[in-house]
Amino acid sequence: TAALAMKMVLPLSLIIPLGFFSSIFSVETMAQKRHTNTLLESIPPLIIIFSLLVFFQDPTQALVFGTVIGFFIQAFFLGALLKSNYDMPFPRISFRSSAWQLFFKAMGIMLVGQIIQAITGVVDQLYAARMGAGVISELGYAQRIIGLALTLGATAISRAALPVLSD
């Protein structure tokens, strides 16, 4: 397992910057009220499925390389669309901006919210453990169903609200 994991360190380390650029370009595309992003979001899953079907002897490496290649293609197309069709300037990252104070203030609020959210799951499991056999698994399934509904709702709200808020 360790040898297999070491083979995948380099490809998996590429997912972070590719995912970052894909996310930045996706948000810029949605902020301009362009809906090509919805179509381009299907590229990574399609490449993953294709790589799993073609390289079915080693599904682990097919999954990793399919993910990396899919994110690369998505970031490339989004960047090309933003640069050529929409005349969107690429962002420059600087640490001298006065907006960093507001960013860290908002980040602190998010950090506190994430800590509270993480603690509530542990507390729920501690209480559920005293209730009998099978209660923790039922709690886990219920949390997954609620998480699915919340994720779909948050995605729909962000898709609808981002162009309005960016104006």
Coordinates of all heavy atoms in Angstrom, one line a residue, residues 41-94:
E41 N -17.8 21.8 -16.4 CA -17.7 21.1 -15.2 C -17.8 19.6 -15.4 O -17.4 18.8 -14.6 CB -18.7 21.5 -14.2 CG -18.4 22.8 -13.5 CD -19.4 23.2 -12.4 OE1 -20.5 22.6 -12.4 OE2 -19.1 24.1 -11.7
S42 N -18.3 19.2 -16.6 CA -18.5 17.8 -16.8 C -17.2 17.1 -17.4 O -17.1 15.9 -17.5 CB -19.6 17.6 -17.8 OG -19.3 18.1 -19.1
I43 N -16.2 18.0 -17.7 CA -15.0 17.4 -18.3 C -14.2 16.5 -17.3 O -13.9 15.4 -17.7 CB -14.1 18.5 -18.8 CG1 -14.7 19.2 -20.0 CG2 -12.7 18.0 -19.1 CD1 -14.0 20.4 -20.6
P44 N -13.9 16.9 -16.1 CA -13.2 15.9 -15.2 C -13.9 14.6 -15.0 O -13.3 13.5 -15.2 CB -13.0 16.7 -13.9 CG -13.0 18.1 -14.3 CD -14.0 18.2 -15.4
P45 N -15.2 14.5 -14.7 CA -15.9 13.2 -14.6 C -15.8 12.4 -15.9 O -15.7 11.2 -15.8 CB -17.3 13.5 -14.2 CG -17.3 14.9 -13.6 CD -16.2 15.6 -14.3
L46 N -16.0 13.1 -17.0 CA -15.9 12.3 -18.3 C -14.5 11.7 -18.6 O -14.4 10.6 -19.0 CB -16.3 13.2 -19.5 CG -17.8 13.6 -19.5 CD1 -18.0 14.6 -20.7 CD2 -18.6 12.4 -19.8
I47 N -13.5 12.5 -18.2 CA -12.1 12.0 -18.4 C -11.9 10.8 -17.4 O -11.2 9.8 -17.8 CB -11.1 13.1 -18.2 CG1 -11.3 14.2 -19.3 CG2 -9.7 12.6 -18.3 CD1 -11.1 13.7 -20.7
I48 N -12.4 10.9 -16.2 CA -12.2 9.9 -15.2 C -12.9 8.6 -15.7 O -12.3 7.5 -15.7 CB -12.8 10.3 -13.9 CG1 -11.9 11.4 -13.3 CG2 -12.9 9.1 -12.9 CD1 -12.5 12.0 -12.0
I49 N -14.1 8.7 -16.2 CA -14.8 7.5 -16.7 C -14.1 6.9 -17.9 O -13.9 5.7 -18.0 CB -16.3 7.9 -17.1 CG1 -17.1 8.2 -15.8 CG2 -16.9 6.8 -17.9 CD1 -18.5 8.8 -16.1
F50 N -13.6 7.8 -18.8 CA -12.9 7.3 -20.0 C -11.6 6.6 -19.6 O -11.3 5.5 -20.1 CB -12.6 8.5 -20.9 CG -11.8 8.1 -22.1 CD1 -12.4 7.4 -23.2 CD2 -10.4 8.4 -22.2 CE1 -11.6 7.0 -24.3 CE2 -9.7 8.0 -23.3 CZ -10.3 7.3 -24.3
S51 N -10.9 7.2 -18.6 CA -9.6 6.5 -18.2 C -9.9 5.2 -17.5 O -9.1 4.3 -17.6 CB -8.8 7.5 -17.3 OG -9.5 7.7 -16.1
L52 N -11.0 5.1 -16.7 CA -11.3 3.9 -16.0 C -11.7 2.8 -17.0 O -11.4 1.6 -16.8 CB -12.4 4.1 -15.0 CG -12.0 4.8 -13.7 CD1 -13.3 5.1 -12.9 CD2 -11.1 3.9 -12.9
L53 N -12.4 3.2 -18.1 CA -12.8 2.2 -19.1 C -11.6 1.7 -20.0 O -11.5 0.6 -20.4 CB -13.9 2.8 -20.0 CG -15.3 3.0 -19.3 CD1 -16.2 3.7 -20.3 CD2 -15.8 1.7 -18.9
V54 N -10.7 2.6 -20.2 CA -9.6 2.3 -21.1 C -8.5 1.6 -20.3 O -7.9 0.6 -20.8 CB -9.0 3.6 -21.8 CG1 -7.7 3.3 -22.5 CG2 -10.0 4.1 -22.7
F55 N -8.2 2.1 -19.1 CA -7.1 1.5 -18.3 C -7.7 0.7 -17.1 O -7.4 1.0 -16.0 CB -6.1 2.6 -17.8 CG -5.6 3.4 -18.9 CD1 -6.0 4.7 -19.1 CD2 -4.6 2.9 -19.8 CE1 -5.5 5.5 -20.1 CE2 -4.1 3.7 -20.8 CZ -4.6 5.0 -21.0
F56 N -8.5 -0.3 -17.4 CA -9.2 -1.0 -16.4 C -8.3 -2.0 -15.6 O -8.7 -2.5 -14.6 CB -10.4 -1.7 -16.9 CG -10.1 -2.7 -18.0 CD1 -9.8 -4.0 -17.7 CD2 -10.2 -2.2 -19.3 CE1 -9.6 -4.9 -18.7 CE2 -9.9 -3.1 -20.3 CZ -9.6 -4.4 -20.0
Q57 N -7.1 -2.2 -16.1 CA -6.2 -3.2 -15.3 C -5.8 -2.6 -14.0 O -5.6 -3.3 -13.0 CB -5.0 -3.5 -16.2 CG -5.2 -4.4 -17.3 CD -5.6 -3.7 -18.6 OE1 -5.5 -2.5 -18.6 NE2 -6.1 -4.4 -19.6
D58 N -5.5 -1.3 -14.0 CA -5.1 -0.6 -12.7 C -6.0 0.6 -12.5 O -5.7 1.7 -12.8 CB -3.6 -0.1 -12.9 CG -3.0 0.4 -11.6 OD1 -3.7 0.2 -10.5 OD2 -1.9 0.9 -11.6
P59 N -7.1 0.3 -11.8 CA -8.1 1.4 -11.6 C -7.7 2.5 -10.7 O -8.1 3.6 -10.9 CB -9.3 0.6 -11.0 CG -8.8 -0.6 -10.5 CD -7.6 -1.0 -11.3
T60 N -6.7 2.2 -9.8 CA -6.3 3.3 -8.9 C -5.5 4.4 -9.7 O -5.8 5.6 -9.6 CB -5.4 2.7 -7.8 OG1 -6.1 1.7 -7.2 CG2 -5.0 3.8 -6.8
Q61 N -4.6 3.9 -10.5 CA -3.8 4.9 -11.3 C -4.7 5.6 -12.4 O -4.5 6.7 -12.7 CB -2.6 4.3 -12.0 CG -1.5 4.0 -10.9 CD -0.2 3.7 -11.6 OE1 -0.2 3.4 -12.8 NE2 0.9 3.7 -10.8
A62 N -5.6 4.8 -12.9 CA -6.6 5.4 -13.9 C -7.4 6.5 -13.3 O -7.6 7.5 -13.9 CB -7.5 4.3 -14.5
L63 N -7.8 6.3 -12.1 CA -8.6 7.3 -11.3 C -7.8 8.5 -11.1 O -8.2 9.7 -11.3 CB -9.1 6.7 -10.0 CG -10.0 7.6 -9.2 CD1 -11.3 7.9 -9.9 CD2 -10.3 6.9 -7.9
V64 N -6.5 8.4 -10.6 CA -5.7 9.5 -10.3 C -5.3 10.3 -11.6 O -5.5 11.5 -11.6 CB -4.4 9.0 -9.6 CG1 -3.4 10.1 -9.5 CG2 -4.7 8.5 -8.2
F65 N -4.8 9.6 -12.6 CA -4.5 10.3 -13.8 C -5.7 10.9 -14.5 O -5.6 11.9 -15.2 CB -3.6 9.4 -14.7 CG -2.2 9.2 -14.2 CD1 -1.8 8.0 -13.7 CD2 -1.3 10.2 -14.3 CE1 -0.5 7.8 -13.3 CE2 0.0 10.1 -13.8 CZ 0.4 8.8 -13.3
G66 N -6.8 10.2 -14.5 CA -8.0 10.8 -15.1 C -8.4 12.0 -14.4 O -8.9 13.0 -15.0
T67 N -8.3 12.1 -13.1 CA -8.6 13.3 -12.3 C -7.7 14.4 -12.7 O -8.1 15.6 -12.9 CB -8.6 13.0 -10.8 OG1 -9.5 11.9 -10.5 CG2 -9.0 14.2 -10.0
V68 N -6.4 14.2 -12.7 CA -5.4 15.2 -13.0 C -5.6 15.7 -14.4 O -5.6 17.0 -14.7 CB -4.0 14.7 -12.8 CG1 -2.9 15.7 -13.3 CG2 -3.7 14.4 -11.3
I69 N -5.7 14.8 -15.4 CA -5.9 15.3 -16.8 C -7.2 16.0 -17.0 O -7.3 17.0 -17.7 CB -5.8 14.0 -17.7 CG1 -4.4 13.5 -17.7 CG2 -6.2 14.4 -19.1 CD1 -4.2 12.1 -18.3
G70 N -8.3 15.5 -16.3 CA -9.6 16.2 -16.4 C -9.6 17.6 -15.8 O -10.1 18.5 -16.5
F71 N -8.9 17.8 -14.7 CA -8.8 19.2 -14.1 C -7.9 20.1 -15.0 O -8.2 21.2 -15.2 CB -8.2 19.1 -12.7 CG -9.3 19.0 -11.7 CD1 -9.2 17.9 -10.8 CD2 -10.3 19.9 -11.5 CE1 -10.2 17.8 -9.8 CE2 -11.2 19.8 -10.5 CZ -11.2 18.7 -9.7
F72 N -6.9 19.5 -15.6 CA -6.0 20.3 -16.5 C -6.8 20.7 -17.7 O -6.7 21.9 -18.1 CB -4.8 19.4 -16.9 CG -3.9 20.2 -17.9 CD1 -3.1 21.2 -17.5 CD2 -4.0 19.8 -19.3 CE1 -2.3 21.9 -18.4 CE2 -3.2 20.5 -20.2 CZ -2.4 21.5 -19.8
I73 N -7.6 19.8 -18.3 CA -8.3 20.2 -19.5 C -9.4 21.3 -19.2 O -9.6 22.2 -19.9 CB -9.0 19.0 -20.2 CG1 -7.9 18.1 -20.8 CG2 -10.0 19.3 -21.2 CD1 -8.4 16.7 -21.2
Q74 N -10.1 21.1 -18.0 CA -11.1 22.1 -17.6 C -10.4 23.4 -17.4 O -11.0 24.4 -17.8 CB -11.8 21.6 -16.4 CG -12.9 22.5 -15.9 CD -13.4 22.2 -14.5 OE1 -12.8 21.4 -13.8 NE2 -14.6 22.7 -14.2
A75 N -9.3 23.5 -16.6 CA -8.7 24.7 -16.4 C -8.2 25.4 -17.7 O -8.3 26.6 -17.8 CB -7.5 24.5 -15.4
F76 N -7.6 24.6 -18.6 CA -7.2 25.1 -19.8 C -8.3 25.8 -20.6 O -8.2 26.9 -21.1 CB -6.5 24.0 -20.7 CG -6.1 24.4 -22.0 CD1 -4.9 25.2 -22.2 CD2 -6.8 24.1 -23.1 CE1 -4.5 25.6 -23.4 CE2 -6.4 24.6 -24.4 CZ -5.3 25.3 -24.5
F77 N -9.4 25.1 -20.8 CA -10.5 25.6 -21.5 C -11.1 26.8 -20.9 O -11.5 27.8 -21.5 CB -11.6 24.6 -21.8 CG -11.3 23.6 -22.9 CD1 -11.3 22.3 -22.7 CD2 -11.0 24.1 -24.2 CE1 -11.1 21.4 -23.8 CE2 -10.7 23.3 -25.2 CZ -10.7 21.9 -25.0
L78 N -11.3 26.8 -19.5 CA -11.8 28.0 -18.9 C -10.9 29.2 -19.0 O -11.4 30.3 -19.2 CB -12.1 27.6 -17.4 CG -13.3 26.8 -17.1 CD1 -13.3 26.4 -15.6 CD2 -14.6 27.7 -17.3
G79 N -9.6 28.9 -18.8 CA -8.6 30.0 -19.0 C -8.6 30.6 -20.4 O -8.6 31.8 -20.6
A80 N -8.7 29.7 -21.4 CA -8.7 30.2 -22.8 C -10.0 31.0 -23.1 O -10.0 32.0 -23.7 CB -8.6 29.0 -23.7
L81 N -11.1 30.5 -22.5 CA -12.4 31.2 -22.8 C -12.3 32.6 -22.1 O -12.8 33.6 -22.7 CB -13.6 30.4 -22.2 CG -14.0 29.3 -23.1 CD1 -15.1 28.5 -22.4 CD2 -14.6 29.8 -24.4
L82 N -11.8 32.7 -20.9 CA -11.8 33.9 -20.2 C -10.8 34.9 -20.9 O -11.1 36.1 -20.9 CB -11.3 33.7 -18.7 CG -12.4 33.2 -17.8 CD1 -11.8 32.9 -16.4 CD2 -13.5 34.1 -17.7
K83 N -9.7 34.4 -21.4 CA -8.7 35.3 -22.0 C -9.1 35.7 -23.3 O -9.0 36.9 -23.7 CB -7.4 34.5 -22.1 CG -6.2 35.3 -22.5 CD -5.9 36.3 -21.4 CE -4.6 37.1 -21.7 NZ -4.4 38.2 -21.0
S84 N -9.7 34.9 -24.2 CA -10.0 35.3 -25.5 C -11.3 35.9 -25.7 O -11.5 37.0 -26.3 CB -9.8 34.0 -26.5 OG -10.8 33.1 -26.1
N85 N -12.4 35.3 -25.2 CA -13.7 35.7 -25.5 C -14.2 36.9 -24.6 O -15.0 37.7 -25.0 CB -14.7 34.6 -25.4 CG -14.5 33.5 -26.5 OD1 -13.8 33.8 -27.5 ND2 -15.1 32.4 -26.3
Y86 N -13.8 36.8 -23.4 CA -14.4 37.8 -22.4 C -13.5 38.9 -22.0 O -13.8 39.7 -21.2 CB -14.9 37.0 -21.2 CG -15.7 35.8 -21.5 CD1 -15.5 34.6 -20.9 CD2 -16.8 35.9 -22.4 CE1 -16.3 33.5 -21.2 CE2 -17.6 34.8 -22.8 CZ -17.3 33.6 -22.1 OH -18.1 32.6 -22.4
D87 N -12.2 38.9 -22.6 CA -11.2 39.9 -22.2 C -11.1 40.1 -20.7 O -11.1 41.2 -20.2 CB -11.6 41.3 -22.9 CG -11.5 41.2 -24.4 OD1 -10.7 40.4 -24.9 OD2 -12.3 41.8 -25.1
M88 N -11.1 39.0 -20.0 CA -11.0 39.0 -18.6 C -9.5 39.1 -18.2 O -8.7 38.3 -18.6 CB -11.6 37.8 -18.0 CG -11.7 37.7 -16.5 SD -12.9 38.9 -16.0 CE -12.6 38.9 -14.3
P89 N -9.1 40.1 -17.4 CA -7.7 40.1 -16.9 C -7.5 39.0 -15.9 O -8.3 38.7 -15.1 CB -7.6 41.5 -16.3 CG -8.9 41.9 -15.9 CD -9.9 41.2 -16.9
F90 N -6.3 38.4 -16.0 CA -6.0 37.4 -15.0 C -5.6 38.1 -13.7 O -4.9 39.1 -13.6 CB -4.8 36.5 -15.5 CG -5.3 35.5 -16.5 CD1 -5.2 35.8 -17.8 CD2 -5.8 34.3 -16.1 CE1 -5.6 34.9 -18.8 CE2 -6.2 33.4 -17.0 CZ -6.1 33.7 -18.4
P91 N -6.1 37.5 -12.5 CA -5.8 38.2 -11.2 C -4.3 38.1 -10.9 O -3.6 37.2 -11.2 CB -6.6 37.3 -10.3 CG -6.8 36.0 -10.9 CD -6.8 36.3 -12.4
R92 N -3.9 39.2 -10.2 CA -2.5 39.2 -9.7 C -2.6 39.1 -8.2 O -3.4 39.8 -7.5 CB -1.9 40.5 -10.0 CG -1.4 40.6 -11.4 CD -0.6 41.9 -11.7 NE -1.2 42.4 -12.9 CZ -1.6 43.7 -13.0 NH1 -1.3 44.5 -12.1 NH2 -2.1 44.1 -14.1
I93 N -1.9 38.2 -7.6 CA -1.9 37.9 -6.2 C -0.9 38.8 -5.5 O 0.3 38.7 -5.9 CB -1.8 36.4 -5.9 CG1 -2.9 35.6 -6.5 CG2 -1.7 36.2 -4.4 CD1 -2.8 34.1 -6.4
S94 N -1.3 39.6 -4.6 CA -0.3 40.4 -3.9 C -0.7 40.4 -2.4 O -1.9 40.4 -2.0 CB -0.5 41.9 -4.4 OG 0.2 42.8 -3.6

